[in-house]
Amino acid sequence: MKKWGPLGILAAAQFLMVLDQAVMNVSISQLVDDLDTSVTAIQIVITLYSLVMAMFMITGGKIGDLVGRRRAFIIGLIIYGFGSALTAVAPSVQVLAIGWSILEGIGAALVLPALAALIAGNYVDRDRSVAYAVIGGVAGAGIAVGPILGGWATTELTWRVVFVGEVVVVAAILAAMRLLKEAPGPKQRPRLDTVGSALSAIGLGFIVIGVLQASSWGWIMPKNSPITILGFSLSPFLVGLGAFTLWLFVRWQKLRVERGTDPLIHLEILKIKPVRAGLQTMLAQNLILMGIFFTTPLYLQLVLGFNALETGIRMLPVSVGMLVASIGGSWLATKFAVRSIVRVGLIIIVIAVVVLLSSIEPDLQGGMFGLAMGLLGVGMGLIASQLGNVVQSSVDASGRSEAGGLQYTAQQLGSAVGVALIGAIVLSGLASNFITTITDNPEVPAAVTEQATISVSEGVSFVTADQVRSTSLDLGIPPEITDQVVADYEDAQLKALRVGLLATVVIAAIALFFTKGLPSRKPDGDEQHSATAVD
């Protein structure tokens, strides 16, 4: 207990951080009813949570250097617990946004970078590798178990129960903090770079908002964009403004170093090959995972008609595979090079998606689907078991909070881009396939095709076939033609989902190039990754 007690504390905290968002995503309909609000308002609350975490993750890591990683972890948990309590009793969507999106987001931004540094501070050598592997597996388990827990709670009880449970878990973690020792930090206490914090938060915030809203506002050409600039959607301008602000942030960091003052991030960290490769691969991994976790529920719920609980149960093999592979990955790291393990994980993911593609049919191919989910979990688990240890072991004790902030920022950006990019691909594929199919169908009159084309040009959502049927009949389209339109729409749904999944295969293939900088030698004994691999 004394040896692995700290890991239990950190694993419980990691589970909380990832469970939250998964639960919220499957509770949207009940949230709308309970809080007398709209789906759009709840989606804004969910987006704001991701935004707050992405904006303040780097600053949260630096605060760990200022006050100590253990203290930052405790402060973050207390803020997170208050946010969960407020969320559990929220009478309105405004209070929900304050409790969940803002307080829990800020709490997570303090907890996660400190968590990464505390693992390195409490474990060394082989034990550290095991600890990071367990944390990676627990993160994956939380993402996969969240829909099951959220689906059960919303179906049998209320979504509020989950947040009451989070308060209890936070209290239990705080009560056990005596088991967790402080992680070594910088020799000299740094000062917080407030200008750098503001620039990084604003830059990342603009990018995340632009990416997350691109599917509704339009990536380039406007759809429902609140304003248009030179005839284009607001999204690319927000992303561009965010990139420019991050460029200013980099210039400011270099200027502070030249003046002999503390930067928010020592940019030299990004020159360390394993760190850079680890961050790039983390971003790609989360992009793929969240892209698949966006696409798969669409298939299970909107095409096949499963509820949230049934969907979560069918995706459970991801959680099991990821947890098992993560733990096994720590042993593999003593026998094989990290680069080889991560590349095998990416190849297994490609195989998993190919199997999943073959199971996307009008009726669920249970065996193939379960196999695909299990393989996906194994691939993700192998990757997750390596990257955290690589990043943290490639820097010294003084740089671990900064590395942790970068690590979780990369994961948040990957998640945001994954949902937005794959979502946009699926929706655009749905629109183009649907129009093409009904245009080529001689049994659908030209007037109906023209009407559908106009409707799709104004924006398309991934809805059930029953909704399409109902809308078609409400528009006065004869039942026999409606049947043809619905059949064409169902065909377009499957094609669009396949295109979205195929995009994740392309991303996984590209991610193989990011692994070039990962450690390529088989470890010797208790050898740690060197922090001197700089270019």
Side-chain angles (χ1 to χ4, degrees):
M1 178 65 182
K2 185 176 180 181
K3 178 179 180 180
W4 297 113
L7 179 59
I9 293 171
L10 297 172
Q14 175 70 76
F15 186 79
L16 274 184
M17 302 297 115
V18 297
L19 175 72
D20 227 19
Q21 200 163 7
V23 169
M24 194 64 79
N25 282 328
V26 299
S27 304
I28 291 176
S29 59
Q30 194 179 77
L31 285 163
V32 169
D33 293 338
D34 283 2
L35 303 178
D36 191 25
T37 186
S38 65
V39 172
T40 300
I42 298 301
Q43 288 173 332
I44 290 173
V45 169
I46 293 173
T47 299
L48 183 59
Y49 179 70
S50 298
L51 179 63
V52 170
M53 280 203 291
M55 287 175 66
F56 296 109
M57 200 69 74
I58 294 175
T59 301
K62 197 66 176 182
I63 290 174
D65 287 340
L66 293 173
V67 304
R69 282 73 180 267
R70 187 175 182 274
R71 183 176 295 176
F73 184 78
I74 292 172
I75 293 171
L77 277 175
I78 292 172
I79 295 173
Y80 192 91
F82 273 114
S84 296
L86 186 59
T87 301
V89 298
S92 66
V93 71
Q94 291 83 3
V95 177
L96 181 75
I98 294 171
W100 189 66
S101 304
I102 297 176
L103 290 180
E104 288 197 33
I106 291 173
L110 285 168
V111 168
L112 291 172
L115 184 152
L118 286 167
I119 294 173
N122 281 264
Y123 297 99
V124 297
D125 303 330
R126 162 81 170 138
D127 289 345
R128 180 185 295 172
S129 178
V130 171
Y132 279 116
V134 170
I135 291 297
V138 167
I143 293 172
V145 170
I148 299 177
L149 183 59
W152 172 79
T154 55
T155 302
E156 302 297 333
L157 302 169
T158 170
W159 59 272
R160 298 178 188 271
V161 168
V162 177
F163 293 96
V164 172
E166 287 189 352
V167 175
V168 174
V169 174
V170 167
I173 294 173
L174 292 173
M177 282 300 296
R178 59 184 176 78
L179 298 174
L180 190 65
K181 70 179 184 180
E182 178 62 281
K187 294 180 181 179
Q188 292 185 337
R189 182 179 176 182
R191 299 184 65 180
L192 182 63
D193 173 14
T194 53
V195 174
S197 295
L199 287 173
S200 67
I202 293 170
L204 290 168
F206 278 142
I207 290 174
V208 171
I209 291 174
V211 168
L212 286 176
Q213 295 301 317
S215 59
S216 58
W217 293 351
W219 282 92
I220 302 295
M221 302 308 296
K223 293 193 295 185
N224 298 308
S225 181
I227 62 171
T228 59
I229 302 175
L230 301 176
F232 297 104
S233 166
L234 180 60
S235 288
F237 291 95
L238 282 180
V239 173
L241 184 57
F244 176 72
T245 306
L246 290 182
W247 177 81
L248 291 177
F249 166 72
V250 170
R251 299 301 302 168
W252 175 252
Q253 297 305 285
K254 292 179 178 178
L255 181 61
R256 285 185 66 87
V257 171
E258 291 171 1
R259 292 176 175 176
T261 54
D262 294 314
L264 185 67
I265 291 179
H266 291 83
L267 298 176
E268 291 77 12
I269 287 180
L270 297 175
K271 295 181 180 179
I272 302 171
K273 283 185 177 180
V275 171
R276 189 170 64 247
L279 294 175
Q280 290 170 333
T281 310
M282 280 180 179
L283 190 149
Q285 178 197 14
N286 279 269
L287 198 158
I288 295 166
L289 181 63
M290 296 313 294
I292 293 174
F293 269 57
F294 171 84
T295 305
T296 305
L298 289 181
Y299 170 62
L300 293 175
Q301 294 184 358
L302 298 185
V303 176
L304 300 182
F306 293 153
N307 61 32
L309 180 58
E310 292 169 331
T311 297
I313 290 172
R314 281 162 178 79
M315 295 178 69
L316 186 60
V318 177
S319 178
V320 176
M322 193 165 184
L323 187 59
V324 172
S326 293
I327 296 172
S330 65
W331 176 82
L332 291 173
T334 65
K335 306 295 181 182
F336 304 98
V338 168
R339 183 196 295 176
S340 299
I341 297 172
V342 171
R343 285 180 172 176
V344 168
L346 286 169
I347 292 170
I348 291 175
I349 288 172
V350 170
I351 295 171
V353 177
V354 171
V355 174
L356 184 57
L357 281 167
S358 68
S359 71
I360 300 295
E361 298 291 344
D363 296 313
L364 180 66
Q365 308 296 309
M368 294 293 285
F369 185 86
L371 175 62
M373 291 292 99
L375 287 173
L376 177 64
V378 170
M380 288 292 173
L382 288 176
I383 297 171
S385 69
Q386 308 302 312
L387 297 183
N389 190 36
V390 166
V391 171
Q392 288 292 321
S393 296
S394 297
V395 299
D396 58 23
S398 65
R400 283 184 179 138
S401 286
E402 292 184 15
L406 289 170
Q407 177 179 329
Y408 284 102
T409 298
Q411 291 180 355
Q412 284 300 310
L413 285 176
S415 297
V417 173
V419 171
L421 178 61
I422 303 304
I425 290 172
V426 169
L427 291 178
S428 62
L430 177 64
S432 62
N433 279 305
F434 180 48
I435 295 302
T436 300
T437 303
I438 64 172
T439 300
D440 294 341
N441 190 337
E443 297 186 32
V444 178
V448 174
T449 300
E450 182 180 358
Q451 189 175 14
T453 302
I454 294 172
S455 298
V456 167
S457 67
E458 295 173 350
V460 62
S461 297
F462 202 102
V463 298
T464 65
D466 287 341
Q467 288 175 280
V468 172
R469 181 182 300 279
S470 176
T471 301
S472 180
L473 292 173
D474 289 344
L475 291 172
I477 298 174
E480 61 275 11
I481 297 177
T482 293
D483 291 340
Q484 288 296 321
V485 170
V486 170
D488 290 342
Y489 177 76
E490 289 174 334
D491 184 59
Q493 278 183 316
L494 297 179
K495 288 179 179 177
L497 291 170
R498 293 186 187 113
V499 171
L501 289 172
L502 191 60
T504 65
V505 173
V506 175
I507 295 166
I510 294 173
L512 286 169
F513 292 98
F514 296 157
T515 64
K516 184 178 179 181
L518 295 175
S520 58
R521 291 190 301 116
K522 178 181 175 181
D524 298 321
D526 291 331
E527 177 185 303
Q528 295 297 303
H529 308 299
S530 172
T532 60
V534 178
D535 66 358

